[in-house]
Amino acid sequence: TCLKIVSEAVVSTQSTGVFGDELLVFTMAEYHDDPVGVLNTIFRHVGVYIPDLTELREFIQNSNIDNTNSDVKKSFGGMFDETRYLLHNFYQPFNEDLADFLKDPKYKFDK
């Protein structure tokens, strides 16, 4: 079982051995909007113990978030348009493949 954050999506894979990998994909926006619901779905998907949702919510709310923008990073301003363009173009073919595979256009992350 593996949980990865790829580009703008959270991907959970469950190796079944016989049938290959089963994918469960969420956008980062979905995770940020409902982390408890997304984690609950992932726990069910991979077949592990599902903690009490109230305890899980409290754990998430009280956890330190290590990858936030610090005040120092914020002082530099937003991402350059050129950088955003390069990243979009780099990930676009992979996002289109994912969207086609999942039959869900939201994973194309169009501008």
Side-chain angles (χ1 to χ4, degrees), residues 42-77:
I42 291 171
F43 295 153
R44 280 187 284 116
H45 177 74
V46 298
V48 297
Y49 167 76
I50 300 173
D52 176 75
L53 297 184
T54 302
E55 290 178 13
L56 181 59
R57 187 173 294 107
E58 288 175 8
F59 175 79
I60 292 168
Q61 290 172 346
N62 295 325
S63 295
N64 290 330
I65 301 172
D66 294 328
N67 63 344
T68 61
N69 288 328
S70 67
D71 290 335
V72 173
K73 287 182 183 178
K74 288 178 186 177
S75 70
F76 289 113

Side-chain angles (χ1 to χ4, degrees), residues 4 31-32 56 64 71-72 83 86 98 100 102 104-105 110:
K4 299 177 185 176
Y31 176 77
H32 287 292
L56 181 59
N64 290 330
D71 290 335
V72 173
T83 305
L86 287 170
L98 178 63
D100 292 343
L102 297 174
D104 191 338
D110 291 326

Side-chain angles (χ1 to χ4, degrees), residues 25-40:
V25 180
F26 296 92
T27 64
M28 289 301 294
E30 291 169 326
Y31 176 77
H32 287 292
D33 289 345
D34 184 17
V36 172
V38 168
L39 289 174
N40 186 38

